[in-house]
Amino acid sequence: MTIEILIYPALVFLAATMIAKLIERRRDVLYGPYIQGRKTDLARLREQFGAIIAAIGIKREYGRVAATFTSVSIFASAIIG
């Protein structure tokens, strides 16, 4: 019982410290996304998605698609709920 009292708070403290260091490093100017030309993961994903859309030949009409999905989701929620 004594070991658990010591180990669990120590593990929580270690995890919180590691998360704080990770966040601090991520926000740091030298390692974060602030360097010119460095892209975030979301920006890379958007770029890949755009390349796939361009390769397939689909036009970018997200507003129309969003309106269609909105009406479908409203209709489905009316049926379910």
Side-chain angles (χ1 to χ4, degrees):
M1 186 68 180
T2 306
I3 292 176
E4 287 88 6
I5 292 172
L6 296 175
I7 289 180
Y8 292 138
L11 289 175
V12 169
F13 178 75
L14 181 65
T17 305
M18 296 303 285
I19 290 171
K21 283 299 226 185
L22 179 70
I23 291 171
E24 182 181 330
R25 184 178 173 99
R26 183 73 181 137
R27 290 186 180 178
D28 190 9
V29 175
L30 295 176
Y31 296 103
Y34 305 107
I35 297 176
Q36 184 178 1
R38 186 177 288 186
K39 296 182 181 178
T40 62
D41 294 333
L42 185 60
R44 283 190 210 121
L45 184 63
R46 283 185 191 152
E47 189 175 285
Q48 288 177 354
F49 182 69
I52 291 170
I53 294 296
I56 293 174
I58 299 175
K59 295 181 181 177
R60 289 189 165 188
E61 296 181 7
Y62 299 125
R64 204 163 120 192
V65 172
T68 302
F69 283 129
T70 303
S71 61
V72 168
S73 66
I74 290 172
F75 181 68
S77 66
I79 291 174
I80 293 171

